[in-house]
Amino acid sequence: MTKKAITIGNELKTSLLQKFDEVQMEMLGKEPLFIRSSRQESAQLFELLGFPTVELETWRKTNLKSFLEKTYDLEFEAQSGNEQDNSILQCEINQFDTDLFTQYNGKWIGEASQLRIYPNGTIVGSLSAAIQQYPQLMEPYFGKLANNSLHGLVALNTALFDEGYFIYVPDGVDHTRSLQMVNIINSKQNIFTNTRNLVILGKNARLRLVHCDDSMDFQHSFINNVTEIQLAEGSNMEYYKLQNKDDSTAIMTTTFVNQHRDSAFNSNTIVLNGGMVRNDTQVVLAGKGADAQVVGLFLMDRKQFVDNHVFIDHAVANCTSNQLFKGIVDEEARAVFNGHTLVRKDAQQTIAYQSNNNIQLTDTSKIDSHPFLEIYADDVKCSHGATVGQLKTNALFYLMQRGICERNARMLLMVAFVGQIVDRISLPNLRTSINELVRKRLKGELSSCEQCSIQCADPDKPLHFEIDMSLV
Amino acid sequence: MAQNEQDIIGEVTSSDYKYGFVSDIETETIAKGLSEEVVRIISAKKNEPEWLLDFRLKAYRKWVSMEAPDWAHLNIPPIDFQEIIYYAAPKKKAELTSLDEVDPELIETFNKLGINLEEQKILAGVAVDAVIDSVSVKTTFTDTLSKLGIIFMSFSEAVQHHPDLVKKYLGTVVPASDNYFAALNSAVFSDGSFCYIPKGVRSPVELSTYFRINAANTGQFERTLIVADEGAYVSYLEGCTAPQRDENQLHAAIVEIIAHRNGEVKYSTVQNWYPGNKDGLGGIFNFVTKRGMCEGDYSKISWTQVETGSAITWKYPSCVLKGDYSVGEFYSVAVTNNHQQADTGSKMVHLGKNTKSTIISKGISAGKSNNSYRGLVRINPKATNSRNFSQCDSLLLGDQCGAHTFPYIETSNASSIVEHEATTSKISDEQLFYCMQRGINTEKAIGLIVNGYAKEVLNQLPMEFAVEAQKLLSISLEGSVG
């Protein structure tokens, strides 16, 4: 007798597949064959897999049901009428000298939809523009790094993505100016977006990328994002992901990284707010000497939920990896960490660390930590550790004894706790800004949209956000 | 336990001999296969009361609706449950007349373990004379226990003599619907041990299945139930360091332990069933559900296991810490060699306030084996001020084997502390060099280092057991280093 399989979001699935049929007709002839065929295959796969349910081991703690039962507007149009000024939407990071690329509701507007080509050969901008102009650059990687069968959301994304960013850094180019990608969700309807990004670094290329996800209202939105990153020999990428979403937003990001010989991948994910956040990072260390540092910080309260999944595949010998996730959960928040390090046979001389430290502040919050090691080689140094605890009472006592009030003493300890992650940010301006943000967040002053001209910090008072043109 | 001579010769001479589960010496068996009818027959043959039959039938119906678990990191070949004989009356073995007829390899292992000749005869199934030490020991032993009111007998006897106690506790810790193999066991369990320590009694001796009549032939679906009443204490030993040869391929046992207020149970086991040959053929499937319930406040349950045998081990001795201030412990050494697979660990479920648990697991993989630790530590919202410490180390010998760690930590309150750490390493060349430089050969050096590595767990075993277990570790790893 077989168990009755649970399916969720059936209505949404049907309407998404319906949309696929429409899009497919529209796209016919417009898109190159490799995109069209991967869309088609993935749509079939999505039809088969459906949305991930708690029955899947890796989704056991992440229940999407309440978000998938909502009705979403799949036909929404980019609000091209609003000439939104980048300066007011420059995320929370002030005085941060970057080249800013802003997407609204997962789409590029106006001039931003053109690709920007730098004198050093770096190409940055809209994915759909790149599909038209540089299919030959994309073809070897697009859809090849992502594992569509990982779960239904990846397949759905490959089938139905409409926009995202494309970054190409040619061989030997160190793109010194940081790039900042901001995706702002601001819609009057509930929206469901499938955004897709592709980053290709040539041999010995270097890139610093900041990816911010913000939202500006309290409509429900569902962001399904897939990012593919190809790192050629000797390349180096710093990838900062800053998520500050309101409580009614579900954001699912899946990042696939393929690293070649001596490449370095440095990822830092900072989740400050978010109703339902899931970050999947899948790294394949495919060349000797590759190094992956995947770290993250999460500060959750109210009824927020965060799930960090990291899978690092040591496919060859002499690679190193490090996972470090720290978080503080307050009120009724829930945090999940699932780290999985796989050391394949003959991947000798591997050094892999995995660490997850949590501070649980209330009895109503919940922490699940699953640090996994799967090892098939003997000459390795692998270890992992996980802790759940509170602020040390003797440390608090020490501070208070010296005249620091309890509130400040607690704050000091928490700042010190998260400092280990924040200090790893190598860009000084970004580090300072994030430090400030984290402090504000810990003081409870930062809600999902700090820079927003309407202080809609109170989620119970839904406000429709209209751009004030006088500010522009 | 022992095979007849032909089987032994067969095994020694042909490498592709598969340890079958059919033995033509059994006397009274029922037809193979499993159905509701079979469950009724088993119950009737054992002259069981109505409620027990109901228990079995409910379990059977549940089992039919379940699927074999596939989440473990194991490669389990399909098991045909209709090919198994679910009831065999106490068997009379064709007895061997002297030790000369026993597999010489077995004798050699006995000698290495330091088992005396008389014991060797019992273990190998050689007919023994009427007067041997263990028999007389057993008689005095039974006297001591009955004076204290300790009940220690086979499960079937307990059903007849103490039905109220059995009824009160059976299935309270591991319900029949708990998992696939627990349901199967609940439906068809053959026999096992029942142990009850009355209020305030400390058992003066370590209870061991070794001393129980017919303990050897409890069959493949063993059921053990241990109850420590308020303030009682017992140390219970199961298994044997000697290689156990069994013709049943599938073993699905259940062990339930209940500790009332201030009660303490220490359960130690050494498992050394047939692991299959060097090419991974044959061997026992050991799918066991072991769980203890710290029912009362200040109660304590401690599991210690040394796992060296079985082709596949699927075993998670657990503690449910229900009483406030209760304590759960788990100490484990799991060794896998050749093609063995083990997925073992512990579950600690903290329900009561100020509960404490410790998990120390040492995995050793050699040959082409896979050894996984899988554990859960759950702190429930009401289990305030709870504490857990887990340490799971893996040692890899050779580059063909695998060592894995799958811990699950789930906490739901802000006053508990959970710590987990794990390392994976191999024996360093420096360590080996140091030993060899002092004239110790490689094999002995590895034995020495492995024993040092597992010391923390072996120390938890009762004395005599610990000495044997140490030797066993070295023997299990023999030939693993090329």
Side-chain angles (χ1 to χ4, degrees):
Chain A
M1 236 167 88
T2 50
K3 259 185 285 182
K4 204 179 152 217
I6 298 173
T7 53
I8 52 170
N10 277 333
E11 274 175 43
L12 186 60
K13 185 179 158 186
T14 319
S15 51
L16 281 165
L17 285 167
Q18 233 161 36
K19 195 192 168 197
F20 174 76
D21 291 334
E22 290 164 27
V23 170
Q24 205 192 7
M25 294 306 287
E26 209 177 290
M27 293 293 174
L28 208 68
K30 276 193 199 162
E31 286 188 331
L33 184 68
F34 73 94
I35 304 258
R36 284 206 316 266
S37 58
S38 82
R39 277 187 194 275
Q40 200 123 43
E41 280 166 28
S42 308
Q44 282 164 5
L45 196 62
F46 172 65
E47 197 167 0
L48 193 78
L49 294 172
F51 288 105
T53 68
V54 288
E55 278 193 342
L56 296 171
E57 180 64 19
T58 50
W59 287 81
R60 217 158 61 92
K61 302 288 175 187
T62 317
N63 195 345
L64 297 178
K65 197 162 179 272
S66 64
F67 279 92
L68 293 174
E69 277 173 356
K70 298 195 164 59
T71 36
Y72 291 97
D73 179 14
L74 305 175
E75 305 297 329
F76 65 94
E77 283 300 311
Q79 294 155 311
S80 50
N82 284 351
E83 291 287 324
Q84 304 189 355
D85 189 339
N86 286 347
S87 64
I88 60 157
L89 295 163
Q90 194 161 347
C91 197
E92 281 85 7
I93 301 160
N94 301 315
Q95 293 94 43
F96 180 46
D97 193 21
T98 55
D99 281 348
L100 184 71
F101 297 81
T102 313
Q103 282 169 268
Y104 300 99
N105 298 336
K107 292 189 190 323
W108 300 95
I109 294 163
E111 278 185 22
S113 56
Q114 301 292 317
L115 284 173
R116 200 183 300 184
I117 300 165
Y118 288 84
N120 64 15
T122 304
I123 305 167
V124 186
S126 150
L127 185 82
S128 61
I131 289 174
Q132 299 306 326
Q133 293 173 44
Y134 300 101
Q136 74 287 358
L137 270 181
M138 293 176 67
E139 190 167 358
Y141 308 112
F142 183 85
K144 309 284 195 301
L145 310 178
N147 173 10
N148 283 323
S149 50
L150 184 70
H151 52 71
L153 287 172
V154 180
L156 170 67
N157 187 289
T158 312
L160 216 57
F161 75 91
D162 50 3
E163 257 308 357
Y165 57 79
F166 170 74
I167 300 174
Y168 171 76
V169 187
D171 289 359
V173 170
D174 178 357
H175 193 82
T176 45
R177 207 170 148 85
S178 307
L179 301 179
Q180 186 180 10
M181 301 290 163
V182 182
N183 186 9
I184 295 175
I185 299 296
N186 175 23
S187 168
K188 290 197 179 85
Q189 300 102 30
N190 292 346
I191 57 168
F192 190 108
T193 69
N194 289 295
T195 53
R196 179 83 173 204
N197 310 317
L198 177 61
V199 179
I200 303 166
L201 263 66
K203 282 180 189 166
N204 300 314
R206 191 158 184 203
L207 175 72
R208 296 153 193 90
L209 176 67
V210 183
H211 179 143
C212 304
D213 277 297
D214 278 85
S215 56
M216 297 208 133
D217 56 45
F218 295 96
Q219 292 302 320
H220 291 282
S221 56
F222 194 107
I223 301 158
N224 177 24
N225 171 270
V226 172
T227 305
E228 292 174 290
I229 299 174
Q230 164 72 16
L231 300 177
E233 270 177 51
S235 59
N236 183 320
M237 178 169 169
E238 284 173 42
Y239 183 46
Y240 300 99
K241 208 153 41 173
L242 186 65
Q243 292 169 334
N244 198 16
K245 289 281 182 189
D246 60 69
D247 293 1
S248 47
T249 302
I251 174 160
M252 309 283 131
T253 74
T254 317
T255 310
F256 296 91
V257 186
N258 190 29
Q259 289 189 249
H260 286 274
R261 199 185 171 99
D262 297 325
S263 61
F265 178 65
N266 217 320
S267 134
N268 201 330
T269 306
I270 293 170
V271 186
L272 297 171
N273 276 299
M276 176 149 234
V277 181
R278 160 111 177 182
N279 291 313
D280 249 308
T281 310
Q282 309 264 327
V283 182
V284 181
L285 299 170
K288 283 187 180 178
D291 173 58
Q293 303 281 326
V294 183
V295 304
L297 171 69
F298 48 91
L299 305 169
M300 310 308 273
D301 60 11
R302 299 192 290 269
K303 286 187 174 173
Q304 299 176 340
F305 175 92
V306 63
D307 182 352
N308 283 298
H309 260 67
V310 183
F311 178 74
I312 296 186
D313 181 352
H314 283 261
V316 296
N318 299 86
C319 292
T320 49
S321 72
N322 184 17
Q323 298 167 39
L324 173 65
F325 279 81
K326 294 186 108 176
I328 302 176
V329 292
D330 201 352
E331 297 175 1
E332 288 169 59
R334 286 192 64 176
V336 181
F337 168 75
N338 189 316
H340 191 151
T341 305
L342 168 66
V343 179
R344 288 188 194 268
K345 213 177 137 195
D346 301 326
Q348 302 291 7
Q349 306 280 333
T350 288
I351 300 177
Y353 297 111
Q354 202 178 51
S355 184
N356 173 227
N357 308 112
N358 302 285
I359 290 185
Q360 194 167 8
L361 296 175
T362 59
D363 286 347
T364 40
S365 55
K366 204 166 176 342
I367 290 172
D368 296 304
S369 178
H370 310 152
F372 294 171
L373 292 176
E374 194 177 348
I375 296 162
Y376 297 95
D378 66 335
D379 191 7
V380 296
K381 273 192 194 142
C382 295
S383 70
H384 67 189
T387 58
V388 181
Q390 299 79 41
L391 299 174
K392 290 268 182 304
T393 46
N394 50 359
L396 268 178
F397 177 72
Y398 179 88
L399 292 171
M400 287 167 72
Q401 195 197 24
R402 274 154 184 76
I404 298 165
C405 73
E406 191 187 340
R407 190 168 171 267
N408 283 345
R410 292 178 77 88
M411 193 57 60
L412 263 174
L413 289 175
M414 287 198 274
V415 168
F417 176 77
V418 300
Q420 205 186 345
I421 304 288
V422 178
D423 289 350
R424 292 175 69 105
I425 300 171
S426 68
L427 310 173
N429 287 338
L430 182 65
R431 186 169 59 234
T432 317
S433 311
I434 289 188
N435 225 333
E436 262 174 43
L437 274 177
V438 166
R439 276 160 205 247
K440 273 188 184 168
R441 177 70 179 86
L442 290 174
K443 280 188 225 159
E445 288 168 10
L446 173 76
S447 186
S448 36
C449 28
E450 172 67 14
Q451 290 287 302
C452 171
S453 47
I454 300 169
Q455 286 295 315
C456 40
D458 187 1
D460 298 323
K461 275 191 276 172
L463 278 170
H464 289 301
F465 181 64
E466 296 285 315
I467 295 277
D468 181 357
M469 292 307 285
S470 65
L471 280 173
V472 177
Chain B
M1 296 214 302
Q3 303 160 284
N4 63 35
E5 198 179 348
Q6 281 214 320
D7 281 1
I8 294 162
I9 294 165
E11 194 205 335
V12 174
T13 51
S14 72
S15 60
D16 60 357
Y17 167 75
K18 190 155 170 21
Y19 230 80
F21 23 79
V22 188
S23 168
D24 39 281
I25 346 159
E26 281 166 359
T27 48
E28 194 199 350
T29 57
I30 56 172
K32 63 188 178 188
L34 182 55
S35 64
E36 211 168 294
E37 192 51 38
V38 170
V39 176
R40 281 178 199 281
I41 294 171
I42 294 172
S43 190
K45 286 208 186 265
K46 294 173 87 71
N47 193 20
E48 285 174 353
E50 190 65 29
W51 61 265
L52 194 51
L53 174 64
D54 283 348
F55 177 83
R56 284 177 184 273
L57 287 175
K58 255 187 212 158
Y60 173 74
R61 283 167 204 148
K62 184 72 200 171
W63 179 76
V64 171
S65 71
M66 290 168 106
E67 275 178 58
D70 58 358
W71 42 260
H73 194 275
L74 299 171
N75 180 15
I76 306 172
I79 301 165
D80 189 348
F81 290 95
Q82 298 307 331
E83 276 298 312
I84 296 172
I85 296 166
Y86 289 88
Y87 179 82
K91 301 160 208 168
K92 269 226 182 297
K93 295 256 173 165
E95 287 185 336
L96 308 177
T97 51
S98 87
L99 270 180
D100 300 339
E101 294 171 32
V102 180
D103 181 358
E105 216 178 283
L106 199 63
I107 299 286
E108 202 187 316
T109 317
F110 284 156
N111 290 333
K112 281 180 191 159
L113 286 170
I115 295 170
N116 72 43
L117 265 181
E118 293 301 332
E119 262 185 74
Q120 285 190 18
K121 284 183 185 169
I122 308 171
L123 292 167
V126 176
V128 279
D129 298 331
V131 193
I132 61 154
D133 281 355
S134 60
V135 173
S136 50
V137 167
K138 205 189 80 61
T139 326
T140 39
F141 178 78
T142 321
D143 285 348
T144 325
L145 292 187
S146 56
K147 267 182 206 151
L148 290 167
I150 295 173
I151 303 167
F152 183 42
M153 53 180 61
S154 79
F155 202 91
S156 315
E157 283 177 290
V159 170
Q160 305 301 332
H161 299 303
H162 303 279
D164 296 344
L165 276 178
V166 176
K167 192 176 177 184
K168 186 173 168 193
Y169 293 108
L170 181 70
T172 55
V173 186
V174 182
S177 56
D178 190 75
N179 67 66
Y180 187 73
F181 297 110
L184 178 65
N185 176 292
S186 302
V188 300
F189 63 85
S190 34
D191 208 340
S193 312
F194 176 79
C195 173
Y196 175 82
I197 318 292
K199 271 183 196 173
V201 173
R202 281 184 72 86
S203 172
V205 282
E206 266 141 2
L207 298 188
S208 162
T209 44
Y210 181 75
F211 291 111
R212 225 195 49 231
I213 306 170
N214 286 337
N217 284 321
T218 43
Q220 57 191 130
F221 301 103
E222 193 172 344
R223 184 109 197 176
T224 305
L225 180 55
I226 301 169
V227 183
D229 215 323
E230 288 180 19
Y233 167 82
V234 65
S235 168
Y236 183 90
L237 309 180
E238 190 206 63
C240 184
T241 48
Q244 298 222 1
R245 308 240 150 172
D246 195 309
E247 57 280 339
N248 297 312
Q249 199 171 18
L250 172 71
H251 276 248
I254 291 184
V255 177
E256 292 179 287
I257 299 180
I258 294 122
H260 287 286
R261 193 183 162 86
N262 285 318
E264 181 177 347
V265 179
K266 186 175 164 63
Y267 184 101
S268 314
T269 177
V270 174
Q271 183 263 111
N272 188 20
W273 277 324
Y274 182 56
N277 68 8
K278 286 198 170 64
D279 302 313
L281 282 172
I284 306 283
F285 298 169
N286 190 20
F287 303 146
V288 189
T289 309
K290 293 189 174 186
R291 194 174 303 156
M293 171 76 84
C294 286
E295 181 76 46
D297 298 352
Y298 304 97
S299 55
K300 179 177 175 183
I301 291 176
S302 172
W303 300 96
T304 307
Q305 61 171 20
V306 176
E307 300 279 319
T308 58
S310 298
I312 304 177
T313 305
W314 180 95
K315 181 176 176 184
Y316 314 92
S318 315
C319 294
V320 180
L321 305 170
K322 195 173 164 194
D324 296 347
Y325 297 94
S326 57
V327 177
E329 288 176 352
F330 174 74
Y331 297 94
S332 164
V333 175
V335 184
T336 53
N337 200 352
N338 298 322
H339 288 267
Q340 276 176 275
Q341 304 175 63
D343 195 302
T344 179
S346 181
K347 283 199 278 187
M348 293 290 172
V349 181
H350 292 253
L351 300 174
K353 293 181 183 64
N354 301 299
T355 45
K356 271 187 201 159
S357 64
T358 309
I359 296 174
I360 308 285
S361 165
K362 305 274 181 181
I364 301 160
S365 346
K368 292 183 176 169
S369 66
N370 271 302
N371 197 334
S372 310
Y373 166 83
R374 186 184 300 277
L376 167 76
V377 175
R378 176 180 290 154
I379 312 270
N380 277 39
K382 286 181 181 164
T384 50
N385 292 313
S386 294
R387 188 78 175 83
N388 163 268
F389 175 75
S390 310
Q391 187 184 344
C392 317
D393 295 331
S394 309
L395 192 64
L396 290 148
L397 306 175
D399 57 1
Q400 303 288 310
C401 52
H404 322 298
T405 322
F406 305 107
Y408 289 74
I409 298 165
E410 304 180 0
T411 60
S412 313
N413 73 51
S415 53
S416 300
I417 299 175
V418 179
E419 287 171 295
H420 173 96
E421 58 179 33
T423 58
T424 303
S425 53
K426 67 167 193 169
I427 294 177
S428 72
D429 293 342
E430 286 83 7
Q431 285 170 320
L432 276 180
F433 177 72
Y434 181 88
C435 293
M436 289 167 76
Q437 192 199 26
R438 274 153 184 76
I440 302 166
N441 69 28
T442 325
E443 205 139 84
K444 277 202 176 138
I446 286 176
L448 203 66
I449 295 164
V450 166
N451 270 310
Y453 166 80
K455 198 97 207 163
E456 220 177 327
V457 174
L458 297 179
N459 280 345
Q460 299 293 328
L461 287 170
M463 239 303 263
E464 320 79 53
F465 237 33
V467 176
E468 286 183 26
Q470 275 189 24
K471 290 179 191 159
L472 181 65
L473 280 189
S474 314
I475 293 170
S476 304
L477 292 169
E478 252 174 28
S480 66
V481 188

